[in-house]
Amino acid sequence: MTATEGLLVPPGHGRVVRTPAQHVTFKVTGAHSRMASSFEVVVPPGFDVGAHVHTRSEELFYVLEGELDVLAFEPRVRTPDNWKHWESPSGTRVVRATPGTVIVVPPGCPHAFANATDTPAKMFFQASPPPDHERYFEELLEILGTDGPPDHAAIEELRARYDIQQLTPLRLRHR
């Protein structure tokens, strides 16, 4: 791609990384944009990314299909197990996001998403600056692609390297 050409990624195209935990299609990478990496993510039933926070990254989520429980606020109290009951000092609570919902997460803001339904959900996800989230996704999906429960120690080490402070555990529905 030259400086005078844009990038067009047709439906169904992009590099795909697939595990039982998630299906991620890389749409725009750091090779194409200085602003953000963009992904299409299929979130299977029972997947909970766990509440977490980034000190440098800004993220945008746009729900395309299905429903996701989402959090994007600092709670009164960060309980270590279940973010779904958190509440902000102003009374904001976790919401069920449906198609067309946009969630913007600035640096330093705790956030999470989970698919509590029995059907897959799909979202467009953008992370800035690139390419950190691209590398993180590749390594995370490699860890989650193994048989058995997730290796939480490996995930914790990975997240520490990519500016992700995990506040509650990542969870998968048993396969």
Side-chain angles (χ1 to χ4, degrees), residues 91-114:
T92 301
R93 294 179 166 271
V94 171
V95 300
R96 176 69 52 98
T98 56
T101 303
V102 174
I103 303 100
V104 176
V105 182
C109 178
H111 57 287
F113 62 86

Side-chain angles (χ1 to χ4, degrees), residues 7-15 25-29 32 37-40 124:
L7 173 70
L8 184 124
V9 183
H13 288 243
R15 188 167 65 85
T25 304
F26 290 61
K27 295 293 190 174
V28 180
T29 67
H32 307 108
S37 300
S38 300
F39 313 90
E40 188 175 89
F124 175 80

Side-chain angles (χ1 to χ4, degrees), residues 51-52 69-73 75 83 86 94-95 103 105 110-113:
H52 59 282
D69 292 338
V70 296
L71 159 83
F73 57 81
W83 58 268
W86 288 4
V94 171
V95 300
I103 303 100
V105 182
H111 57 287
F113 62 86

Side-chain angles (χ1 to χ4, degrees), residues 144-159:
L144 296 178
T146 61
D147 289 333
D151 181 343
H152 290 288
I155 293 170
E156 185 176 328
E157 186 276 328
L158 173 68
R159 288 183 166 169

Side-chain angles (χ1 to χ4, degrees), residues 4-5 23 25 43 54 87 89 122 138 154 161:
T4 59
E5 291 183 21
H23 175 182
T25 304
V43 183
H54 312 275
E87 182 178 335
K122 186 186 289 186
E138 289 169 340
R161 283 192 287 118

Side-chain angles (χ1 to χ4, degrees), residues 5-61:
E5 291 183 21
L7 173 70
L8 184 124
V9 183
H13 288 243
R15 188 167 65 85
V16 176
V17 179
R18 185 187 320 241
T19 72
Q22 277 190 323
H23 175 182
V24 177
T25 304
F26 290 61
K27 295 293 190 174
V28 180
T29 67
H32 307 108
S33 172
R34 293 173 298 161
M35 301 301 292
S37 300
S38 300
F39 313 90
E40 188 175 89
V41 179
V42 176
V43 183
F47 181 83
D48 177 350
V49 73
H52 59 282
V53 65
H54 312 275
T55 58
R56 296 183 307 272
S57 293
E58 182 171 12
E59 298 178 334
L60 179 141
F61 303 89

